[in-house]
Amino acid sequence: EKSSTLFSDRLTIGCITACRHANGRDWWVFVQRSFSNLFYRILVTPYGISVFSQNAGSVPLFNSFSGQSCFSPDGTKYAHFDQLNGLTLFDFDRCNGLLSNPRYITQQNLGATSISGGVAFSPNSRFIYLSYYTKLFQLDSYNSNLLNSLQLIGVYDGFTAPFAATFYTAQLAIDNKIYLTANNGVNYLHVIKSPDSMGVACNFEQHSLQLPNYNAITMATPPNYSLRSVDGSVCDTLNLTNVTQESKSLFNLVPNPSNGLVVLENSSNININSYKIFNSIGELIQENQISSVKLELDLTKEIAGVYFVSISTLHQSYTFKLVKY
């Protein structure tokens, strides 16, 4: 449905971002509740949109007024940066959409007290760049102590066009360079030309790209469309949706849709060795080793939604979509 409200809350400004699910098809969309430590993670699939939330625990409260969030290009990390709290870095699970292992760099650590800027990852997902009004920092996410890896790699040089071309939001582009806007209306972008390199070798050039028009603050923040599925992932639901004509002729889940009590019709009396049931976000909710031509499933305790049933015989696996009401 178009132009309908998905949910309503007091949300952070400008920090919505997305990452492809580990199955290579679905998407996780993230946004925070402002002045809280609550994340909304929105799962977008061909079957609909589902809203989940996660309390991030004892992390600094998210500021509503300015800042930026982004996922690393490889989808394993999530960073949020705002003017009150500095940087919060999480590990990210593309299967279940959960954040873990929070690390911090505070505003005091950055030695800056003015308007916050942006955050971006290097193409290799190792280095994090923080633009903080008049300063640009680099952090090494591979370092277990983020603060020890903090390097100042740029200081505003006073350039105006016609207003001060300071540092604001940042974005990794498809040419593997990072572009930064200014806090004011100017017709230039700053560029980090070699962001996979450590320290000043990243080749940061201020106001190096002239724009055809003036721009203030705004920056497009597309997700990484090149990110693919995780090979061998336990939550790869794509291989659970491709029901072949052969499997339809041999097996059938009835009734479907169902109230949760389901029987697998087995027209050829093929022996079934095992089965697995996954929910719509790829979590394994049931698994069993059996040896029978009959299979009865019970999902009555599960919530309504789309589920995927995978059965294995001696020579092949078959997969089915099941709708529970």
Side-chain angles (χ1 to χ4, degrees):
E1 292 183 4
K2 185 178 180 180
S3 302
S4 60
T5 300
L6 184 61
F7 68 96
S8 181
D9 202 346
R10 184 184 65 233
L11 304 175
T12 53
I13 296 173
C15 291
I16 189 169
T17 187
C19 182
R20 195 186 293 272
H21 191 286
N23 64 23
R25 179 200 63 196
D26 304 333
W27 286 88
W28 292 107
V29 181
F30 266 62
V31 67
Q32 307 99 348
R33 176 190 287 170
S34 60
F35 303 112
S36 76
N37 54 9
L38 184 74
F39 283 94
Y40 287 105
R41 65 189 200 279
I42 304 161
L43 179 64
V44 183
T45 80
Y47 309 109
I49 301 174
S50 303
V51 180
F52 305 91
S53 63
Q54 178 185 356
N55 189 308
S58 57
V59 301
L61 303 185
F62 305 121
N63 174 26
S64 176
F65 300 119
S66 64
Q68 191 174 9
S69 299
C70 67
F71 288 97
S72 59
D74 64 4
T76 64
K77 304 179 188 73
Y78 174 89
H80 175 76
F81 185 45
D82 69 49
Q83 73 182 68
L84 291 183
N85 305 304
L87 171 76
T88 306
L89 176 66
F90 296 89
D91 292 336
F92 180 63
D93 188 328
R94 289 171 59 198
C95 286
N96 55 30
L98 293 175
L99 302 170
S100 61
N101 189 28
R103 289 91 82 195
Y104 317 106
I105 291 289
T106 67
Q107 183 192 62
Q108 289 73 28
N109 293 144
L110 299 172
T113 58
S114 191
I115 302 171
S116 99
V119 57
F121 281 90
S122 59
N124 63 7
S125 300
R126 176 175 179 176
F127 297 110
I128 304 169
Y129 292 89
L130 304 178
S131 53
Y132 212 146
Y133 194 53
T134 60
K135 298 178 181 180
L136 180 67
F137 298 91
Q138 183 194 74
L139 294 160
D140 186 353
S141 68
Y142 289 3
N143 193 318
S144 58
N145 188 322
L146 280 181
L147 187 57
N148 287 347
S149 72
L150 182 67
Q151 295 191 58
L152 178 65
I153 60 172
V155 177
Y156 170 55
D157 61 7
F159 180 82
T160 59
F163 301 104
T166 46
F167 312 148
Y168 202 67
T169 50
Q171 177 64 31
L172 175 64
I174 59 174
D175 61 0
N176 289 330
K177 298 177 183 179
I178 294 174
Y179 295 84
L180 292 86
T181 63
N183 300 73
N184 302 295
V186 301
N187 60 340
Y188 285 87
L189 294 178
H190 313 292
V191 185
I192 304 172
K193 295 189 172 182
S194 304
D196 280 341
S197 299
M198 183 176 289
V200 295
C202 71
N203 192 16
F204 174 54
E205 293 187 5
Q206 300 187 44
H207 46 83
S208 66
L209 178 64
Q210 187 170 4
L211 301 173
N213 297 291
Y214 289 95
N215 176 68
I217 299 175
T218 59
M219 171 70 80
T221 56
N224 180 12
Y225 292 107
S226 298
L227 187 61
R228 301 306 177 195
S229 61
V230 178
D231 291 339
S233 169
V234 296
C235 68
D236 185 356
T237 56
L238 281 188
N239 66 341
L240 301 176
T241 62
N242 300 321
V243 182
T244 65
Q245 289 302 120
E246 178 190 7
S247 64
K248 288 181 180 178
S249 65
L250 297 175
F251 305 103
N252 189 32
L253 291 176
V254 292
N256 189 9
S258 164
N259 64 357
L261 295 175
V262 185
V263 175
L264 180 73
E265 292 183 340
N266 185 351
S267 62
S268 299
N269 289 325
I270 299 174
N271 202 57
I272 301 166
N273 296 330
S274 65
Y275 72 88
K276 295 180 181 180
I277 304 177
F278 300 82
N279 63 17
S280 62
I281 63 173
E283 295 174 329
L284 179 65
I285 61 170
Q286 288 188 33
E287 180 179 17
N288 200 8
Q289 301 292 322
I290 61 174
S291 180
S292 175
V293 296
K294 296 181 179 180
L295 177 60
E296 296 180 354
L297 304 175
D298 185 353
L299 284 79
T300 53
K301 295 183 179 179
E302 304 297 334
I303 63 173
V306 177
Y307 294 85
F308 301 95
V309 179
S310 175
I311 64 170
S312 295
T313 65
L314 180 61
H315 300 292
Q316 194 169 350
S317 295
Y318 302 91
T319 56
F320 309 87
K321 181 177 75 172
L322 173 67
V323 177
K324 180 183 181 296
Y325 53 77

